[in-house]
Amino acid sequence: MASITLNRKRILIAVLCLIAVLYWITVVFSDLRQLGFIRVQSFNAEVDEKTPAFVAPRPIGEGTANATLLFLARNSDLGGVLSSMGHLEEHFNKRAGYPWVFLNEEEFTEEFKTRVTAATAAPVSFGLIPHEHWFQPDWVDEDRASEGRRKMASQGIIYAGSVPYRNMCRFNSGFFFHHPLLQPYRYYWRVEPDIKYFCDVTYDPFDYLRDNNKIYGFTISFYEWEKTIPTLWETVKKFIAEHPQYVSDENAMNYLSDNGGERYNLCHFWSNFEIADMDFWRGEAYQAFFKYLDDTGGFYYERWGDAPVHSIAVSLFAPKDRLHFFRDIGYRHEPFQHCPNGEDWARGKCACNSFDTLDYAPQSCIRRYEKLFLQ
Ligand SMILES: Nc1nc2c(ncn2[C@@H]2O[C@H](COP(=O)(O)OP(=O)(O)OP(=O)(O)O)[C@@H](O)[C@H]2O)c(=O)[nH]1
Ligand SMILES: *[C@@H]1O[C@H](CO)[C@@H](O)[C@H](O)[C@H]1NC(C)=O
Ligand SMILES: [Mg+2]
């Protein structure tokens, strides 16, 4: 009887010790975050401080930005579209009132239009994508393209065999900003089905970009699957050699490459979230770049994504301080998320766990981005 009591006591002590240790780990870990061993919210402030003529964020509602919320979708995406709209309306747009633009290569159904229009108080427009901006061009060698799809599918790569997916990537790379419905606007915020926003957006991100002369905002950054872009970097290097005038002296090559441009390290900004300036895509450098890439047929022979294409362009053809990490915007697109921490987390009343964020995970490229500004 006595020995059983003793054992119980020992177990109780062991459990209490374990709890104490776990508590200690949590406290030390959060201390490290405060001390900056793990970079927290102060980073943007540090960068902003170094930015001449920095303009602080403006409250929502004063927003005068020339901007729209942009949604490429299929009719079959309706459920995920409404879910995403709910998130962005709730956390931002019910206060900001920016118009929505929906694009599709097929006509949207009446049901789609009715349900989407009812999901916001802001103006909504629905556009049809011109045939030549979407479908595989005739000059693409279909035998070579189908062989490429077959080979990629045998390697188990996602969307390897899909032509529509390639149409989408090419459209998002080179054409969306030419659509008539987007001509009135300079800035866009890209939205996809089934994404989530965790925090209240407490200022106007479009104004922030404009006021501070930024062209591209992101929340998540990681590595591309190399097998989808085997010859992309070679093509980029050829383009740069032929058009050195487009490469900015203050570029972010060190984000893209660990050896000065010799090899692509596969880092890119995840383009399902973008708050960016279409005038950069419409500009001379990017137009020449996209045409050069497109002429190789790589969007179809391989499976070049709009994320690496956009990321490479903004990293090379603009000064690095034109990029912006929206550290304070909590966002999820399966299977990754960015959750703010510290003051950003509190201010935005974020419904996510600060520890559950891709930022400093091994798959993330955020450290390389930060290093651009710490040198
Ligand atoms: N109109 C139209 N939109 C498409 C088509 N394929 C994809 N999209 C849209 O393009 C965007 C990207 O497509 P997704 O299927 O989300 O591609 P992804 O984000 O790489 O992959 P998952 O979200 O993980 O499936 C989304 O907004 C889709 O709704 C298509 O064939 N037609
Ligand atoms: C908005 O931006 C577009 C693209 O730069 C431009 O053509 C248009 O004139 C701008 N509109 C306003 C009201 O500034
Ligand atoms: Mg998606």
Side-chain angles (χ1 to χ4, degrees):
M1 209 57 199
S3 81
I4 291 174
T5 323
L6 201 65
N7 275 344
R8 277 207 188 136
K9 258 189 199 157
R10 280 195 186 150
I11 291 170
L12 189 67
I13 289 169
V15 168
L16 287 175
C17 286
L18 190 68
I19 290 172
V21 167
L22 288 176
Y23 178 71
W24 179 80
I25 289 173
T26 321
V27 169
V28 167
F29 200 59
S30 61
D31 269 3
L32 290 179
R33 289 151 64 96
Q34 298 301 327
L35 290 170
F37 285 104
I38 299 171
R39 291 231 149 245
V40 287
Q41 75 285 352
S42 60
F43 185 82
N44 274 11
E46 279 172 39
V47 174
D48 291 344
E49 264 169 33
K50 291 186 206 158
T51 309
F54 171 71
V55 180
R58 297 170 192 244
I60 289 171
E62 287 176 20
T64 52
N66 183 356
T68 186
L69 310 177
L70 173 62
F71 213 136
L72 173 71
R74 294 157 287 214
N75 286 305
S76 59
D77 290 324
L78 181 56
V81 165
L82 293 171
S83 168
S84 297
M85 283 183 82
H87 273 266
L88 200 52
E89 285 290 330
E90 179 60 28
H91 289 295
F92 173 65
N93 205 46
K94 70 178 182 199
R95 287 168 288 140
Y98 282 105
W100 288 86
V101 170
F102 285 81
L103 299 179
N104 188 351
E105 87 284 8
E106 290 177 4
E107 289 287 357
F108 283 111
T109 60
E110 286 310 313
E111 188 200 3
F112 189 100
K113 292 194 264 193
T114 310
R115 299 283 303 275
V116 160
T117 308
T120 176
V124 189
S125 42
F126 300 93
L128 187 64
I129 296 166
H131 193 278
E132 64 277 18
H133 287 179
W134 184 267
F135 294 97
Q136 181 174 312
D138 293 337
W139 53 260
V140 170
D141 177 350
E142 175 50 25
D143 289 343
R144 192 176 155 198
S146 58
E147 177 56 23
R149 297 196 295 273
R150 199 197 50 75
K151 208 176 122 196
M152 210 174 274
S154 73
Q155 296 172 316
I157 293 167
I158 189 166
Y159 300 119
S162 170
V163 177
Y165 192 85
R166 287 174 174 76
N167 296 340
M168 179 273 288
C169 289
R170 179 171 173 264
F171 173 76
N172 277 328
S173 297
F175 298 102
F176 74 91
F177 45 85
H178 288 317
H179 194 279
L181 287 181
L182 292 176
Q183 294 321 294
Y185 304 111
R186 176 162 178 196
Y187 297 96
Y188 68 102
W189 183 330
R190 176 164 159 188
V191 188
E192 281 203 3
D194 292 306
I195 52 87
K196 293 190 179 93
Y197 282 95
F198 297 123
C199 319
D200 287 343
V201 179
T202 56
Y203 61 95
D204 190 316
F206 296 121
D207 280 337
Y208 182 87
L209 292 193
R210 185 199 56 198
D211 291 346
N212 293 294
N213 203 18
K214 312 263 185 201
I215 57 167
Y216 192 85
F218 62 90
T219 50
I220 292 172
S221 164
F222 66 106
Y223 299 98
E224 181 58 296
W225 201 339
E226 187 158 26
K227 286 174 177 157
T228 64
I229 51 164
T231 67
L232 176 60
W233 192 248
E234 269 165 50
T235 313
V236 169
K237 287 206 282 189
K238 273 195 234 155
F239 176 79
I240 294 171
E242 290 172 34
H243 304 277
Q245 74 274 22
Y246 293 136
V247 179
S248 167
D249 293 338
E250 296 291 319
N251 64 65
M253 178 64 99
N254 291 341
Y255 166 74
L256 301 173
S257 173
D258 303 333
N259 45 24
E262 169 113 0
R263 273 182 69 84
Y264 180 31
N265 60 22
L266 307 173
C267 285
H268 65 287
F269 307 118
W270 212 15
S271 61
N272 48 67
F273 172 104
E274 285 182 325
I275 306 180
D277 180 350
M278 286 185 280
D279 283 353
F280 176 78
W281 309 130
R282 291 165 180 149
E284 187 186 320
Y286 188 77
Q287 286 295 292
F289 180 63
F290 174 73
K291 182 165 188 336
Y292 195 91
L293 297 186
D294 195 33
D295 284 348
T296 68
F299 287 99
Y300 290 97
Y301 301 142
E302 298 177 6
R303 208 213 70 195
W304 295 353
D306 51 287
V309 171
H310 283 183
S311 303
I312 290 169
V314 294
S315 300
L316 296 183
F317 309 139
K320 63 188 178 188
D321 62 8
R322 298 246 174 139
L323 308 177
H324 183 69
F325 179 15
F326 277 108
R327 198 176 291 267
D328 43 13
I329 297 186
Y331 174 72
R332 180 176 186 88
H333 176 298
E334 293 299 335
F336 296 128
Q337 70 179 37
H338 166 70
C339 182
N341 60 32
E343 283 166 30
D344 289 338
W345 184 83
R347 197 185 318 111
K349 303 189 187 79
C350 301
C352 56
N353 178 346
S354 293
F355 287 88
D356 186 0
T357 190
L358 194 71
D359 307 7
Y360 303 107
Q363 313 97 296
S364 169
C365 286
I366 287 293
R367 280 182 198 282
R368 281 200 189 76
Y369 167 78
E370 290 184 343
K371 255 179 94 177
L372 294 172
F373 301 96
L374 295 171
Q375 284 149 4

